[in-house]
Amino acid sequence: AEYMGILDYCTCFWMLLALLLSGVTSDVVLSPTKTGSDHAAFIFFQGAEVPADRYTPLFKLIQAAAPMPLWIGSPDFPLNTPIPPLAGNYVNSILQKLHSAGMPANTTLFFGGHSLGTTIVQGYVANATLPISGLILLAGYLVRSHNYPSFSFPIPTLTVAGELDGLARITRTGAEAYYHQIQINKDPTASKRYPVVMIHGMNHWQFASGTPTSFVNLRDLKAEINIDDAHKQAAALVADYMAMITNSSSSAGTLIANTLKTTQAFLAPIIDAYNLEGSIHLNAPNQFGGPGQSTCVKGGCSDGSKWVPVAQTLIAGDTGKVKLNVTNNYVQVSSTPITGEEFHLPNVTFDPKTLVAFIPTYAQGSWNVLDKTDTAFAFTSASELAAKLMSRQCTQIAITGQDVPFSVDDPDFCMMANEQAYQWALDHAGETTRTRFQNYGQKYVFAADEAKSGGPFFIDSPLSFKTETINGTSVVVIAAPMQKTEKDYWKDHFPFPRPSWIPDPGCFHYCKLLSPARAMEWIYVDGLRAAMSNSSACVECTDASRVFCWVDGKCYDPKSPENPCSPANCVAANSIDNCACQSCSDATCAANHATIINSNTRRSVKQSLIPDQDQD
């Protein structure tokens, strides 16, 4: 009752705000540009802080491409931002306006949205009583609650992703959505009911038009196609999907099918990397922090990582004719009988008859805390894999039966395994993506392993990602915490015999591993931010006194009346969104922004436009 009371208060607040701003917002209502008997309508939810009319150029192209008479209505929510408690009222209002304009009562209804609007609109249509034929998500995706234990959503849905979307990242909007909606979906009609398609070179903003919002400008990547081309391709996909659902043309669905094939090929390396990781969101939900965590028993889980055995094989070294059979399971790496769980420790067993050495290994993944919000704002790959591995010394002793010195574990095996993960991602990334990253990406480099003196210190030390400048180039330096123990560790470190209830602490070589999925996600998305984000579009002006203005990509004197980013023009425009300049001189840009901030107190301007690359 208390919750419902709070909800009622919140709803009343938004209703009051909507009433107060009713004269400020402006709905978009477009009548069909074609004639015919079978009408359709597209009800569209805007992105955050994006006026509804910013989508009008795209809407008109969709109308032109659609084979049927298409009505379009986009309610302009308060503050230009879709608000869940108001969705029903605003949909009813826009439908009334469309009917008043002549829309027939039996019109086929499609709903859609962009960015934040995709989240709000899917919540609305999932519970709506209206007969909705399809949902269209632009730079957005169906939330994860629909993916486990198996994909399920009541409305046919088209997901359209931009390759260079800096907000709804391609690893989430493309790869993760495709994996659940198409790749492992047992519904034979899944490719028609829930297609996931991607537009090459397109970014997050290009579904809209005009100047990006300050937040989008902060996070989005630079597009490699112009906005007219982006709109044309997006409109063609939306129209073809509508035609396929309504069966209104003989070629309906052809474009979707063809684009689905190219999208599948593009996403395959990303999905492969996440499956190699043992992703909490794809093929390994049964792990701590995953949707299948409840299936784990005494700190041990049924799913595991396919990458951890690769690292173990590297550490084992040359085994001659002996084959390694390395397994991995996800665990709570800190679990002990004291907490009612079990120890999970690697070991090696050699079968001389089959010449096979069996090594069970254990690991626990960690994810960015923001990933739980499912906003695609943060990495969706693991920030590290804490791996419990066998030492080379003890593996070689088990195989050869001979004494092997502990010095064979001296090399920086964790660093070497992480370099291998990075190289795997570079080798398997798409050719165009790899070339882009080689030209513009912020590279990974690897530092020596950081030795830890005990299990708790190893567990609590994260895989380190630090931005540094080396030889004038900004790179991300990765350093791996490591713990290793020799065969006779207990005897060498304790003056009394080991109690039977304490497991042997020797023979280990633990590593914090870089996931190949994290390396792949860096190559496709986050490694491009330093050079390819809209906010990093600063160029070196030939005259040090001049500043770069992102609005038109030119250099100006800071206070020149011709400078769209000048304080005077910003004040005149009364919108920081239209003049968020980025100077090559932080001091100059800061001074330039000072006047803007004093004149526009409704919003602050962030001086640090490039996010800190120290990950997680």
Side-chain angles (χ1 to χ4, degrees):
E2 181 179 356
Y3 170 78
M4 291 305 297
I6 293 173
L7 183 61
D8 290 341
Y9 279 122
C10 291
T11 302
C12 289
F13 167 78
W14 287 116
M15 292 297 293
L16 178 60
L17 180 62
L19 181 62
L20 293 173
L21 296 178
S22 58
V24 179
T25 58
S26 178
D27 296 342
V28 172
V29 176
L30 299 179
S31 299
T33 57
K34 297 178 180 178
T35 58
S37 57
D38 297 324
H39 288 229
F42 187 30
I43 312 302
F44 192 84
F45 284 26
Q46 68 209 107
E49 297 187 285
V50 186
D53 61 7
R54 295 287 187 93
Y55 300 98
T56 300
L58 175 63
F59 292 157
K60 290 183 176 180
L61 288 175
I62 295 173
Q63 285 184 314
M68 77 288 285
L70 181 64
W71 298 80
I72 295 182
S74 182
D76 201 13
F77 286 84
L79 304 179
N80 305 132
T81 300
I83 302 164
L86 302 183
N89 290 331
Y90 272 67
V91 168
N92 291 338
S93 175
I94 204 72
L95 287 174
Q96 290 176 3
K97 291 182 178 182
L98 289 169
H99 286 303
S100 296
M103 186 178 79
N106 62 344
T107 297
T108 300
L109 295 180
F110 290 89
F111 277 70
H114 173 232
S115 192
L116 177 65
T118 65
T119 302
I120 310 305
V121 73
Q122 67 185 270
Y124 171 80
V125 301
N127 300 292
T129 57
L130 293 169
I132 299 172
S133 295
L135 176 64
I136 297 165
L137 307 180
L138 308 181
Y141 42 83
L142 294 173
V143 297
R144 287 176 177 147
S145 59
H146 300 296
N147 293 339
Y148 185 83
S150 61
F151 175 76
S152 177
F153 190 72
I155 308 295
T157 302
L158 168 67
T159 302
V160 184
E163 177 189 7
L164 294 174
D165 192 323
L167 286 85
R169 58 185 57 227
I170 191 63
T171 53
R172 175 65 185 92
T173 309
E176 189 176 330
Y178 183 92
Y179 178 82
H180 288 284
Q181 294 171 214
I182 305 294
Q183 187 162 315
I184 66 169
N185 194 336
K186 296 181 180 179
D187 181 354
T189 67
S191 61
K192 293 184 177 180
R193 286 179 57 81
Y194 305 105
V196 177
V197 294
M198 185 200 71
I199 299 176
H200 289 276
M202 187 175 186
N203 69 9
H204 187 83
W205 179 254
Q206 287 185 308
F207 291 100
S209 61
T211 303
T213 67
S214 56
F215 182 71
V216 169
N217 191 62
L218 175 69
R219 292 290 293 176
D220 212 0
L221 297 174
K222 293 180 190 176
E224 293 179 342
I225 59 175
N226 63 51
I227 198 164
D228 292 336
D229 190 16
H231 282 174
K232 182 178 179 181
Q233 292 189 55
L237 288 166
V238 171
D240 191 51
Y241 185 69
M242 291 179 172
M244 180 174 65
I245 294 297
T246 58
N247 195 28
S248 51
S249 85
S250 58
S251 62
T254 301
L255 178 62
I256 291 291
N258 291 337
T259 308
L260 190 63
K261 291 179 182 179
T262 60
T263 299
Q264 177 187 16
F266 179 88
L267 297 176
I270 303 176
I271 295 174
D272 288 346
Y274 277 70
N275 284 338
L276 195 56
E277 170 189 280
S279 172
I280 200 171
H281 303 307
L282 273 71
N283 64 328
N286 299 328
Q287 58 177 298
F288 284 91
Q293 176 178 323
S294 61
T295 65
C296 299
V297 179
K298 292 189 175 182
C301 309
S302 58
D303 285 336
S305 169
K306 296 179 182 178
W307 181 252
V308 174
V310 175
Q312 177 64 78
T313 301
L314 184 154
I315 291 175
D318 184 6
T319 58
K321 296 181 179 180
V322 174
K323 293 184 178 180
L324 294 180
N325 185 339
V326 183
T327 61
N328 179 260
N329 284 91
Y330 279 125
V331 298
Q332 185 87 41
V333 291
S334 60
S335 65
T336 71
I338 296 176
T339 59
E341 299 167 325
E342 295 178 350
F343 288 117
H344 299 281
L345 302 173
N347 60 78
V348 56
T349 304
F350 176 57
D351 185 346
K353 294 182 179 179
T354 60
L355 294 181
V356 175
F358 298 89
I359 306 178
T361 65
Y362 303 95
Q364 182 174 3
S366 297
W367 279 262
N368 189 302
V369 65
L370 292 177
D371 180 48
K372 289 185 177 294
T373 64
D374 195 20
T375 61
F377 184 84
F379 293 94
T380 62
S381 56
S383 55
E384 67 177 29
L385 297 173
K388 291 185 171 184
L389 308 170
M390 281 297 292
S391 67
R392 175 171 290 189
Q393 178 195 30
C394 293
T395 301
Q396 293 289 339
I397 290 174
I399 291 173
T400 65
Q402 300 175 1
D403 187 32
V404 178
F406 187 44
S407 60
V408 296
D409 280 273
D410 285 350
D412 293 310
F413 290 139
C414 305
M415 180 190 74
M416 295 164 63
N418 292 342
E419 288 177 325
Q420 191 170 337
Y422 183 44
Q423 191 60 51
W424 186 95
L426 286 170
D427 291 343
H428 289 80
E431 183 178 354
T432 300
T433 299
R434 182 169 56 251
T435 300
R436 180 190 299 122
F437 181 75
Q438 290 171 340
N439 290 336
Y440 303 108
Q442 190 177 26
K443 309 305 186 294
Y444 278 164
V445 297
F446 298 86
D449 294 348
E450 298 178 342
K452 302 300 174 182
S453 58
F457 297 104
F458 168 79
I459 293 172
D460 293 340
S461 300
L463 185 66
S464 172
F465 299 82
K466 292 185 178 179
T467 301
E468 297 182 13
T469 300
I470 299 178
N471 297 325
T473 300
S474 177
V475 298
V476 175
V477 179
I478 298 177
M482 173 274 298
Q483 181 195 2
K484 59 185 177 182
T485 56
E486 67 270 29
K487 179 178 181 296
D488 296 319
Y489 180 84
W490 186 277
K491 184 177 68 175
D492 294 342
H493 290 79
F494 297 93
F496 54 88
R498 176 175 59 86
S500 60
W501 54 272
I502 295 180
D504 188 349
C507 296
F508 302 147
H509 200 125
Y510 293 176
C511 288
K512 291 294 183 74
L513 297 177
L514 172 69
S515 162
R518 171 54 61 95
M520 191 70 80
E521 192 169 24
W522 183 256
I523 292 167
Y524 275 74
V525 184
D526 298 278
L528 304 176
R529 293 192 187 280
M532 285 190 64
S533 70
N534 280 337
S535 61
S536 65
C538 183
V539 297
E540 291 297 334
C541 301
T542 54
D543 184 341
S545 66
R546 293 164 70 82
V547 296
F548 176 81
C549 177
W550 75 270
V551 172
D552 60 3
K554 298 180 180 179
C555 294
Y556 293 94
D557 292 327
K559 297 183 180 180
S560 169
E562 298 179 355
N563 179 10
C565 290
S566 70
N569 287 337
C570 285
V571 172
N574 196 31
S575 171
I576 293 175
D577 289 342
N578 293 329
C579 53
C581 74
Q582 165 72 355
S583 170
C584 294
S585 166
D586 291 340
T588 302
C589 197
N592 198 21
H593 276 311
T595 304
I596 303 172
I597 294 172
N598 291 335
S599 302
N600 298 271
T601 57
R602 70 180 181 88
R603 189 181 302 172
S604 63
V605 176
K606 297 180 180 178
Q607 296 302 323
S608 178
L609 293 180
I610 302 177
D612 185 1
Q613 298 298 335
D614 291 359
Q615 301 171 40
D616 302 298

